[in-house]
Amino acid sequence: MKALYGILEDKERELRAFIRNYLQRMRENEATLGRFQQQEGVGNEADRSLSLAACLADKEVALSHATVMELQRALMKEGGGGGGGACSSDQ
């Protein structure tokens, strides 16, 4: 009987050690997963920031183009009636 109790106690210690190690690994895995999720979130935010910056740059180019076109039209209106007013000032 004593041998049987000794074996049971040994098995119980092994089982408790296994459970402790298992729980420790689970906590470590959860912490690692949390870090990966944070990094992924940062990566998504970085991608979003780059996308917004590119969109802003595109809009700035479009606005600049529209401004240039508007200025060209205004210059054509001013210079159109004088028969080449810009050239006459160069002579």
Side-chain angles (χ1 to χ4, degrees):
M1 258 337 225
K2 286 184 181 183
L4 183 60
Y5 281 120
I7 292 171
L8 286 175
E9 287 175 356
D10 287 343
K11 293 297 179 187
E12 183 180 4
R13 275 192 292 271
E14 288 177 17
L15 184 58
R16 288 182 187 276
F18 174 81
I19 291 171
R20 260 194 314 273
N21 290 336
Y22 178 79
L23 291 175
Q24 179 64 31
R25 280 185 280 154
M26 289 298 294
R27 284 190 289 267
E28 290 171 359
N29 288 342
E30 287 174 357
T32 301
L33 181 61
R35 284 193 300 272
F36 283 142
Q37 287 174 338
Q38 284 178 337
Q39 290 173 354
E40 183 179 299
V42 169
N44 289 342
E45 289 301 316
D47 289 344
R48 185 169 179 257
S49 295
L50 290 174
S51 174
L52 289 173
C55 184
L56 180 60
D58 289 345
K59 287 184 180 186
E60 286 177 346
V61 167
L63 181 60
S64 295
H65 182 69
T67 303
V68 167
M69 296 299 287
E70 218 175 285
L71 289 173
Q72 284 179 342
R73 275 187 241 124
L75 285 172
M76 291 179 95
K77 283 183 183 177
E78 288 178 13
C87 291
S88 63
S89 65
D90 287 340
Q91 294 174 352

